[in-house]
Amino acid sequence: MAPHWNPMATEIGIAVQGEGMVRVVCPSTGTKQQACKNMRFKVEGGDVFAVPRFHPMAQMAFNNNSFVFVGFSTTTKEHHPQYLTGKASVLLTLDRQILEKRGGKRRKQGERKKRKQGRGRKNKGGRQKKLEGKKRKQHERLKKKEEKEKLRMQGKKKRQQGKRRKKEGDNRKKQGKGKRRKLQNRKKKKLGKKKEEEERKRQEAEETRRKQEKEEARRKEEQEEEARKQEEEIKRRQEEEEARKREEEQEEEARRREEEEAETRKQQEEEEARRREEEAETRRQQEEEARRQEDEEEEARRSEEEEAREAERRRQDKRKLKDKKRKLGDRRKKRKRRHQEEEETEQERVGKR
């Protein structure tokens, strides 16, 4: 932060991030100047430092690193730091003659010091001249700045004078307006009495009119109240008639529902009886159908048994016929063989003869 001091309060700083150097210089005023010492110390994140008021100070980053800190003061009043450099420098508000005297005094002190230090070192005179030339240039630049500031202050003074003259003209205009206002007030007072009388008459007429309106409103309210009562009576009778009709309708509806329920129960009972009869008839038909099917099955079974017996009988007859034919064939073969044997025997006998 640029070199500055606070004339109203102590400034407190809290280092948030990075490392920095804080330089504090003792002020040139005060009774405790002997106890004050110039300070230069290093701070880092988490450190807290305080600078009393009137003490010029400067904060800068350490070793060209980043340095972040938060600062606040010990007063709640409005205050502004007094900077030593820049456009807001307090030096720009000082008179040029004061700066010249102070600068000349310091320059003379510096020259005496240089003369003392320059004894025995004549070979360094050229460098001293260069430094003096630089200082003169700096003094000239400062002088130009002071001239500019003086011109600025003169312009500011002229603007203030113009504002003052304008304000005086406005005051004169206000005074003229005040005189005209007084004349108008006197005229108004003259007309005021006449207006008051007219206003009084108007108020009386207005009061009479209001009374008549109130009386008319009262009569109207009474008529409206009577009409409202009649309407309420008619409405009450209508509501009673409607309530009686609703009760009759409800009773009729209840009777109708009871009759419908009785009719419904009767229909349900008849339907239930018819359903039971149909179920009984269905069961009877099913039983008859079952018996008929059983009879048919029994008849079919008997027919099948009869057919089986007939088939068995035919098979037995066929088997007997086959056996009979086989036996007959066997007998024929035996007779034929016996006949052949007899013929052979006869032939043998004939041959022996």
Side-chain angles (χ1 to χ4, degrees), residues 224-266:
E224 290 177 353
E225 182 67 19
E226 184 66 23
R228 185 180 61 78
K229 288 181 179 180
Q230 291 177 0
E231 289 178 357
E232 289 179 354
E233 182 66 20
I234 294 170
K235 186 176 180 181
R236 184 181 62 78
R237 291 177 181 176
Q238 290 177 352
E239 289 177 353
E240 290 177 354
E241 183 67 20
E242 290 176 357
R244 185 180 60 77
K245 288 182 179 180
R246 283 197 298 271
E247 289 178 358
E248 291 177 355
E249 290 176 356
Q250 290 175 358
E251 291 175 357
E252 182 66 23
E253 182 67 20
R255 285 195 299 272
R256 186 179 60 78
R257 282 199 299 270
E258 289 177 357
E259 291 175 356
E260 289 179 354
E261 290 175 357
E263 183 67 22
T264 302
R265 284 195 299 272
K266 185 177 179 181

Side-chain angles (χ1 to χ4, degrees), residues 107 129-145:
R107 188 165 57 252
K129 288 180 180 180
K130 289 181 180 180
L131 292 173
E132 289 176 359
K134 288 181 180 180
K135 288 184 178 181
R136 281 195 299 272
K137 289 180 180 179
Q138 290 177 357
H139 180 67
E140 289 175 357
R141 285 196 296 270
L142 183 60
K143 190 174 181 180
K144 288 180 180 179
K145 287 182 180 179

